């Protein structure tokens, strides 16, 4: 009895004394672990070759997401002096860029294992690497294998757990693909209607019955709950793009408003883009855009040349 107790005590001490897995970045700690396979997945009998390459993406925490949210709200607030001064792509990337010490710590750890990262994403918050599966298993203390999603018969390489050095815990959000068992997104089948099938009548009390035959501003207001009262914010403008030789007409606009929105007094300016001409009679498409979009606020129609790819 005494011998059994001493043996149990020694085994307990030995288990505590044996260090966990380590890497050159320090002791490894489990970052993500699944107790069982998610529903709909099963292990595949297709073996993973040790030299098979796997592409891993390390997601680094973005340093100033709250600052980005504040900046977006600021430029969207009509009361702000920065209203309408939308952020450039570079300004957005500066807000979501990670801390330099996080990028340095991850790169140093990868380099110490002979892994050279590819070029990072524009904001540097994603770092991609390619390595043999055998090396990935060692680096992350993982066990990559092939799994299959039964409903779609889709195979994917995943692991039920992976680890990172404790020193990287604050510098890496996640590694993908590892424990992310996400069902493939099924594309919806196209809806095919019989040629003689008629649309069912809407039952909305506020939608005029004539909207089944013709669309007017009143229809759009009822269908999409668009307020009929004029916009009151100052310094607002609505920009409408015109492509492929489309020309808007002031006369057509006034005729449309007199019929459907006599309460609205509105006009628009035409701004040529990329050398486009602003002359010509009104065309249906160009007339519909400004008239249906009347808030009412001052409008400006961007008139582009046929080869222009401007989108507003």
């Amino acid at each position: 009895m005494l011998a059994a107790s001493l043996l149990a005590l020694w085994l307990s001490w030995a288990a505590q004394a044996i260090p966990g897995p380590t890497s050159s970045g320090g002791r490894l700690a489990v970052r993500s672990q699944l107790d069982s396979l998610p529903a709909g997945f099963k292990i595949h009998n297709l073996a993973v070759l040790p030299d098979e390459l796997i592409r891993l993406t390390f997601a680094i925490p973005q340093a100033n997401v709250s600052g980005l949210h504040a900046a977006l709200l600021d430029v969207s607030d009509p009361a702000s002096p920065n209203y309408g001064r939308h952020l450039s792509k570079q300004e957005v990337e500066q807000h979501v860029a990670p801390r330099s010490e996080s990028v340095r710590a991850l790169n140093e750890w990868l380099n110490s294992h002979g892994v050279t990262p590819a070029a990072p994403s524009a904001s540097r918050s994603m770092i991609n690497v390619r390595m043999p599966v055998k090396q990935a298993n060692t680096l992350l203390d993982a066990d990559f294998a092939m799994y299959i999603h039964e409903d779609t018969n889709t195979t994917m390489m995943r692991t039920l757990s992976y680890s990172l050095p404790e020193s990287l815990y604050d510098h890496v959000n996640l590694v993908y693909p590892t424990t992310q068992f996400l069902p493939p997104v099924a594309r919806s089948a196209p809806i095919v209607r019989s040629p003689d099938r008629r649309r069912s009548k809407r039952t909305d009390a506020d939608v005029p019955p004539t909207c089944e035959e013709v669309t007017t501003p009143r229809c759009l207001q009822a269908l999409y709950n668009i307020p009929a009262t004029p916009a009151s914010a100052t310094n607002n403008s609505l920009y409408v793009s015109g492509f492929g030789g489309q020309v808007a007409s002031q006369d057509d606009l006034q005729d449309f408003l007199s019929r459907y929105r006599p309460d609205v007094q509105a006009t628009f300016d035409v701004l040529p883009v990329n050398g486009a001409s602003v002359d010509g009679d009104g065309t249906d498409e160009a007339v519909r855009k400004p008239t249906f979009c009347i808030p009412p606020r001052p409008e400006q129609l961007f008139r582009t040349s046929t080869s222009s790819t401007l989108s507003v």
Side-chain angles (χ1 to χ4, degrees):
M1 185 69 179
L2 178 60
S5 299
L6 290 174
L7 178 60
L9 181 62
W10 181 86
L11 289 175
S12 175
W13 172 85
Q16 297 177 11
I18 297 175
T22 61
S23 74
S24 59
R27 179 184 175 87
L28 291 175
V30 175
R31 187 57 189 250
S32 178
Q33 183 173 10
L34 301 179
D35 295 330
S36 61
L37 271 175
F41 290 89
K42 68 177 182 179
I43 189 73
H44 199 292
N45 56 10
L46 182 65
V48 177
L49 300 178
D51 293 334
E52 185 174 347
L53 292 179
I54 183 173
R55 181 178 182 269
L56 298 174
T57 298
F58 290 79
I60 308 175
Q62 297 171 330
N64 193 23
V65 175
S66 60
L68 175 63
H69 291 169
L72 293 176
L73 291 174
D74 187 38
V75 300
S76 304
D77 183 359
S80 169
N82 293 320
Y83 179 62
R85 298 179 181 177
H86 303 294
L87 302 180
S88 66
K89 178 176 180 291
Q90 291 74 18
E91 289 173 327
V92 173
E93 290 169 355
Q94 289 174 3
H95 277 288
V96 299
R99 295 177 299 165
S100 57
E101 54 264 36
S102 295
V103 177
R104 182 172 59 254
L106 177 58
N107 281 327
E108 289 178 351
W109 177 66
L110 292 172
N111 291 336
S112 69
H113 287 272
V115 179
T116 301
S121 61
S123 65
R124 300 194 306 152
S125 60
M126 298 283 184
I127 290 182
N128 300 313
V129 298
R130 290 174 64 89
M131 66 183 72
V133 172
K134 180 180 179 180
Q135 184 178 11
N137 283 334
T138 302
L139 189 70
L140 301 175
D141 190 30
D143 185 17
F144 283 98
M146 296 302 297
Y147 296 88
I148 184 170
H149 182 249
E150 297 179 277
D151 289 346
T152 61
N153 200 35
T154 304
T155 59
M156 58 187 68
M157 188 186 302
R158 296 292 188 272
T159 178
L160 294 181
S161 69
Y162 75 96
S163 301
L164 288 172
E166 292 177 343
S167 60
L168 287 181
Y169 249 54
D170 293 333
H171 302 301
V172 177
N173 274 338
L174 61 88
V175 183
Y176 178 86
T178 49
T179 56
Q180 301 86 11
F181 286 81
L182 305 176
V185 178
R187 295 186 177 181
S188 301
I191 300 175
V192 180
R193 291 188 173 93
S194 301
D196 59 346
R197 183 175 179 179
R198 301 192 179 194
R199 292 188 301 170
S200 60
K201 297 294 183 181
R202 295 183 62 91
T203 58
D204 305 57
D206 296 333
V207 179
T210 55
C211 294
E212 291 289 340
E213 305 299 332
V214 62
T215 303
T216 65
R218 184 182 174 191
C219 295
L220 297 180
Q221 288 171 336
L223 289 169
Y224 297 100
N225 196 28
I226 301 173
T229 55
S232 58
T234 59
N235 300 323
N236 273 0
S237 295
L238 177 66
Y239 291 88
V240 182
S241 58
F243 298 97
Q246 298 294 325
V247 179
S249 166
Q250 295 281 4
D251 292 338
D252 289 341
L253 171 62
Q254 299 308 319
D255 180 59
F256 184 94
L257 294 177
S258 66
R259 294 185 185 184
Y260 300 107
R261 291 298 302 271
D263 59 313
V264 172
Q265 300 295 323
T267 184
F268 62 86
D269 296 324
V270 179
L271 305 179
V273 177
N274 198 22
S277 172
V278 296
D279 299 324
D281 297 329
T283 54
D284 289 343
E285 178 68 18
V287 171
R288 282 197 299 269
K289 284 182 177 180
T291 52
F292 278 105
C293 294
I294 289 291
R297 295 301 307 164
E299 293 198 74
Q300 293 182 325
L301 175 71
F302 277 108
R303 175 76 170 87
T304 70
S305 66
T306 303
S307 59
S308 174
T309 58
L310 174 68
S311 178
V312 180

